[in-house]
Amino acid sequence: MLYFMTVDTVSRHYSANACLLPICSLYGMAVTTVEGVGSTRTRIHPVQERLAKCHGSQCGFCTPGMVMSIYTLLRNHPEPTSEQMTAALAGNLCRCTGYRPILDACKTFCKDSVCCQSKANGRCCLDQEEDLFDREEKESVGLFSPDEFQPLDPTQEFIFPPELMRMAENQPKRTLVFHGERIMWISPVSLDELQDLKAAHPDAPLVVGNTGVGPDMKFRGVFHPIVIAPARIPDLNVVERMSDGLTIGAACSLSLMKDVLRNAVSELPEEKTKIFCAVLQQLRTLGGEQIRNVASLGGNIISRKSTSDLNPILAAGNCMLNLASQGGKRWIPLSDIFADGVGNNTIMPEEVLVSVRIPHSRKGEYISAFRQAPRRENALPIISAGMRVLFEEGTDKIKDLSIFYGGAASTTICAKQTCQTLIGRYWNEQMLDEASRLILNEIVLPDSAWDGKAEYKKTLIVSLFYKFFLEVLQSLKTMDPCHYPGIPMEYESILEDFQTKMPQSIQIYQNVELSQSPQDPVGRPIMHQSGIKHATGEAVYIDDIPSVDGELFLAVVTSSRAHAKIVSVDTSEALKEPGVFDVITANDVPATNEFHYSDDPEIIFARNKVICVGQIVCAVAADSYAHAKQAAAKVRIEYEALEPVILTIEDAIKHNSFFEPKRKLEHGNVDKAFETVDHILEGEIHIGGQEHFYMETQSVLAIPKGEDKEMDVYVSTQHPAFIQEMVAASLGVPANRIMCHVKRVGGAFGGKLLKAGLLASVASVAANKTNRAVRLILSRGDDMLITGGRHPFIGKYKVGFMKDGRIRTVDAKYYINGGCTPDESVLVAEVCLLKMDNAYKIPNLRCWAYACKTNLPSNTAFRGFGFPQSGLVTETWITEVAEKTGLSPEKVREINMYKEDEQTHFKQKLDPQNLIRCWNECMEKSAYYSRKTAIEEFNKQNYWKKKGIAIVPMKFPFGLGSRYLSQAAALVHIYTDGSVLLTHGGIELGQGIHTKMIQVASRELNIPMSYIHFCETSTTTVPNACASVGSAGTDVNGMAVKDACQTLLKRLQPIINKNPKGNWKDWIKEAFEQSVSLSATGYFRGYDANMDWEKGEGQPFTYFLYGTACSEVEINCLTGDHKNLRTDIVMDIGCSINPAVDIGQIEGAFVQGIGLYTMEELKYSPEGVLCTRGPDQYKIPAVCDIPEQFNVSLLSSSQNPYAIYSSKGLGEAGLFLGCSVFFALRDAITCVRNERGLKKTFALNSPLTAEQIRAACIDDFTKMMTNDESSSSIPWARMHET
């Protein structure tokens, strides 16, 4: 947070992204980091306390950012509204929690919020459905107790540092010059001086917020030796109200601009503020608060970015630019700078933008701004638009018209010819028809756009003009209802954009038995044991480990070709760069460079050829990351192309390129069954991949110990024993010389297994060669490029069913894109087959799974491990059967659901009683049928907006396939003061495993949790531990911890029996004096599991989890945008060890599922280069994407005899339930298509983005894209059909 004193001595606080903020720009400011807000050494701040105690932290890596956003808001507004709170968090991302618990913490500060959890009876007053709470007393809805929170006291906050205040008041302003190694930063204080600097250095950029130049320099290799920072010049910070408008300085931040415009709107007549309102609408969603707080108005304009939200509306609004140079000042229309595209030279290199004048709107003038983005907030627009029309007085005859678009060309573009042609036309359907065709002819988009959205952009261009047309019609009606009828009532809802509201939520779980000891923490919603440290920034991740003397930083050099022979690698220029120590290649690997876990190897460094873009060829070691990165860019690799280049599943099928073995499961007589069914449907669905997007990127610190070839390896991984094995093999030393340490991991989701091993080997080889500590922290872009993710998938199916909805036979083929090496792909393919039935009994079934070998980075394990893909295919054909039979989807699901003790398609027994209970309870809690009726009524009354609802069941089998993969060990020490040190083989990834293990030890030893400490997971304490994967961490390690504790308690029992009134410390002291060992290992052999693929039968799973989710959505048929309105989840997770952690896991997985099925889109170039590298292009769900009402209920009275304390491993299961949103969207689209008389069958692929939704809602605008001549002269608005 930045803290500065304004001219009027009012302090201002604003949050900012440290990664974008040049340190030179902070002169005169007080900077507060999360450590300065509060710490466990001094006192924790209420924000930190409430985030932790409301369970708003899982892996904890994003928590400091959340704290700073909330803290900054509270410094400026001690009693914020819920709208201010959600706006403050719009720029923050979390991959673990699903945001609900973070928002719960926020609500406790909001003056207008009634936090339902704080009510005495635990009932949410905002929820009208009382039946939700006809609960037994055994159930609870409060995960935290607000009574425990310390109050927020603004008088206790830090004041602005007096020395900075004195400096600001007393020191004369002077030019600041900072010299860096390669860059000079100049900060002038007068406009004259700035003009001189620009004349002397015309190519030097002007930097205020660094939100444009910063990313260019950081990510795109742009270099500027001189940077000019004009933020301290008064002329550029002017805010002036005039009789005809507002003048705002070019250096004013967008946040300041927003405040100024908002004040003007509240004080001026509505007629004068239409441009201000339109600009404000764009500012609401432009970036997040952190970006708006530093980004400047001038920078936004001068950069002329195609994706600007502001430039189209400022240009359409006739804004003027005040330019200055040594030659004098001049005013030009802002629209002039876009006249000839990006090559426009209206502004001379030596000229400076001083200020912008935004005029008042006039009588008879209507102005609107529009945008459609991959995510509603904090995302660059796909298309933005600014439109203005001025009518001749008292008429609807066009006197002046401006239409500007962003995102359609290399910069903002004007439909100039269209506007000129339409002057004199009346505002009616004939004008609309003509305008739409003129705009499409004038705004020509390149079909070869890298994002492949040309057709969608064209559709948006005319759809947004149509929305403007409707808005103006409605405004004309307001002005003169006698002459202008406005628009039909069923069109009115389209005029309202979707808004982000503070979600309401309910969590229901089972209370512990009254007979349970108050000291026994099992079954209680205990806070994450690192929660407070997450919130104070004291939790240590790999890159927080203090640097070691002589430490080197590593930057990897990756292949730019998908399939090529390496002709040469020239490192000579890289080695000349300052600070470079060495370049590490395959020749420096002492032993194993290729690991043959199957026929195709996993490779540390490419040696003779590369097999994907992003494969590591070498690495540069230098004294800083910046030096290493600069040198890495100087490594020259010469390639010779190899054929074929296989990128897609279709390519792999064509070239018969697969990893072996291919798998098949067959049950019943498929072919014969097809002869007896009433109907057969065939189809195929494509499911895109998914990036893990863990908050902590792949991170390694390798430290040679200096003797016996020992090495400490600190690594962010799910599997330390595997890291130890790979590093030892690559260095050619025994495993006992490699000590692997993991304190905590900032998110993983399956992505920190084999890839982490390869990267740890890269760092360890470098450390071995240089005999220095080596730190390798991947940038987000490199991480996404190198590591792969969830497998892209194609499912082909043929389904035979009866007219009453009974499915009799299925023949399916699944293809997954494995990438260039095997990794876990064959195993993922197997799981696709084993779990494909989801919740349904299929009498006759044949399914094949193929892992395709392609030239993409190898795809790997990801939460759900194949089931989210094959389950979606199953639910798709279930929905299509419903459409074919005329039955509702929920009816077809009920008809085909497992109903009694049955066998799966691989002959494993299951009891589906809890599946049916989850389904029925979710039906009831969600009030499904009454809401479905209400949705049908809403859809009848709204033409351009539609709602949809879907309810989806889930059977999620738990198991790792082989007994040895689920073995676990623990080590428990009791010290003579009675304190206990616990360790086990599980890794803390955010799933709260250490918290749960401490709960287990607390129960077994019958001591308070405060006596027990967990230090780290290490190969030195627990050897040969299995990976923390497959939701199994608590199951298996809990058994091991229990075993160790019971061993210790058995030893202590004679002493306790002798002195039953003694306390724990007495017994431990006595045990030591009696020479009783106070250290014990615990062990769990693992679960029995087997699968015979030859016979197609086995018992690969230990037990089953069940769940049901019901989701409701609303779509905008003109843009494809959608809003998640409500989700109800009922999950059977046995007896929860920690309901707060478990509900958090369900919600987090569900929101990750929303990302997979509706948002997250990976794009590759035709050459196999990943284009979506980073949060700019790849959008994970944010606060604006979670359901407005989000309810989770744990099924009561569920027992699981196979796992510790009857719990169930649930980390992965909830992700699949995100597809309930996918099918709710499908339901809404079906309603649109039925209303418009479109053919019933249609295919929807995943992710179901706005682009796909818009394309499926076929109307006259989408028909224009196909040049369908039959649709000429269409009554666009269908005014007379209603």
Side-chain angles (χ1 to χ4, degrees), residues 45 53 67 82 180 193 235 305 334 361 496 564 578 695 805 867 879 886 946 952 1000 1105 1126 1151 1215 1233 1257 1277:
H45 191 275
K53 289 184 176 175
V67 168
S82 56
E193 190 185 354
D235 303 66
K305 292 273 171 69
L334 185 145
S361 50
E496 294 294 318
M695 289 292 131
F867 173 59
T879 308
K946 299 291 182 190
V952 177
V1000 170
L1105 294 92
R1126 177 172 167 176
V1151 171
L1215 190 138
R1233 294 173 65 88
C1257 295

Side-chain angles (χ1 to χ4, degrees), residues 35 61 537-547 696 775 777:
E35 294 85 357
F61 204 80
E538 292 166 277
V540 175
Y541 299 86
I542 301 301
D543 206 23
D544 297 322
I545 297 171
S547 59
E696 180 190 29
R775 193 179 294 253
I777 312 291

